[in-house]
Amino acid sequence: MLVTGGSAGIGAALAEGFAARGAVVGICGRREDKLAEVLARLQAHSPESRSWRVDLADLDGIEAFAAQANEELGGVDVLVNNAGIPKRRTVQDLTPEVVESTMAINYYSPIRLTLALLPTLVERDGHIVNISSIAARLGPPGEAAYAATKAALTAWSESMALSVSTRTSNPSSTASTA
Ligand SMILES: NC(=O)c1ccc[n+]([C@@H]2O[C@H](COP(=O)([O-])OP(=O)(O)OC[C@H]3O[C@@H](n4cnc5c(N)ncnc54)[C@H](OP(=O)(O)O)[C@@H]3O)[C@@H](O)[C@H]2O)c1
């Protein structure tokens, strides 16, 4: 399985929980020192686990990363799109560049990774978990840019769960949103 943003926070906790239950887990992030710390904990449970340093904001690099992770993990059967950034800023203080860069990491990057791994995931009756946010539904003040990225991810997840599950033989293979 592959957990993006596994170098810290929710992703690191999820990765360790899965490794403790015997899964071979791949994690990625930008900070090599943090990745190394988490990987050591994963490998104590699951020695084949591994990590990659990657900046998922570099959208054009995602297909190559997906191919590498898929090959080195022997096929991805669970993808957890967790990597993301908050953006607490009033609308008056936002710029188009900030809005677009937040959308790139929180929405376009998980979509690129999903599309790149979808053939493998469908073939393996896999699962996709997209870490969204309650902000997707509530639109909290000072979080317009962030909330919009999560609303997009939630809408994508809900639609994909229906369309992908109708194309697979196993109706339990769905996408879910947290
Ligand atoms: N914490 C909350 O209360 C909360 C609530 C609702 C939803 N969420 C969502 O849950 C997810 C995880 O949040 P968290 O609180 O655990 O955040 P976090 O502690 O800041 O961790 C974020 C993770 O994403 C990675 N990441 C960020 N930008 C990246 C990039 N450009 N390329 C590769 N990796 C990147 C970070 O790794 P590096 O820094 O090493 O790159 C880190 O591993 C996010 O999608 C967030 O929106 C969090």
Side-chain angles (χ1 to χ4, degrees):
M1 68 181 300
L2 176 60
V3 181
T4 69
S7 58
I10 293 168
L14 282 176
E16 196 169 355
F18 285 119
R21 288 162 179 76
V24 174
V25 185
I27 56 171
C28 65
R30 294 162 299 177
R31 290 172 293 171
E32 272 188 82
D33 55 336
K34 297 290 179 193
L35 285 169
E37 281 172 27
V38 176
L39 183 61
R41 297 204 297 273
L42 302 186
Q43 290 181 334
H45 301 293
S46 171
E48 301 302 313
S49 293
R50 57 186 63 221
S51 70
W52 300 272
R53 191 197 168 279
V54 62
D55 184 351
L56 293 170
D58 173 16
L59 299 178
D60 290 337
I62 288 181
E63 278 82 9
F65 167 64
Q68 181 185 6
N70 195 43
E71 184 180 332
E72 293 183 19
L73 289 171
V76 173
D77 46 17
V78 179
L79 169 63
V80 182
N81 282 311
N82 163 77
I85 55 166
K87 191 56 65 183
R88 293 187 186 89
R89 200 175 286 191
T90 63
V91 170
Q92 291 90 328
D93 290 331
L94 285 171
T95 62
E97 292 74 21
V98 169
V99 172
E100 288 168 17
S101 63
T102 308
M103 189 60 99
I105 179 63
N106 287 1
Y107 179 66
Y108 289 125
S109 88
I111 297 326
R112 287 255 191 151
L113 194 54
T114 298
L115 292 175
L117 290 171
L118 196 59
T120 304
L121 286 160
V122 169
E123 186 185 309
R124 298 170 71 91
D125 267 344
H127 296 268
I128 301 167
V129 179
N130 289 332
I131 306 294
S132 183
S133 170
I134 192 68
R137 304 287 196 210
L138 297 181
E143 296 194 55
Y146 174 79
T149 68
K150 294 300 188 179
L153 187 62
T154 293
W156 167 278
S157 304
E158 291 172 349
S159 182
M160 181 177 63
L162 296 174
S163 55
V164 172
S165 66
T166 60
R167 290 210 305 271
T168 63
S169 55
N170 179 356
S172 71
S173 268
T174 59
S176 56
T177 177

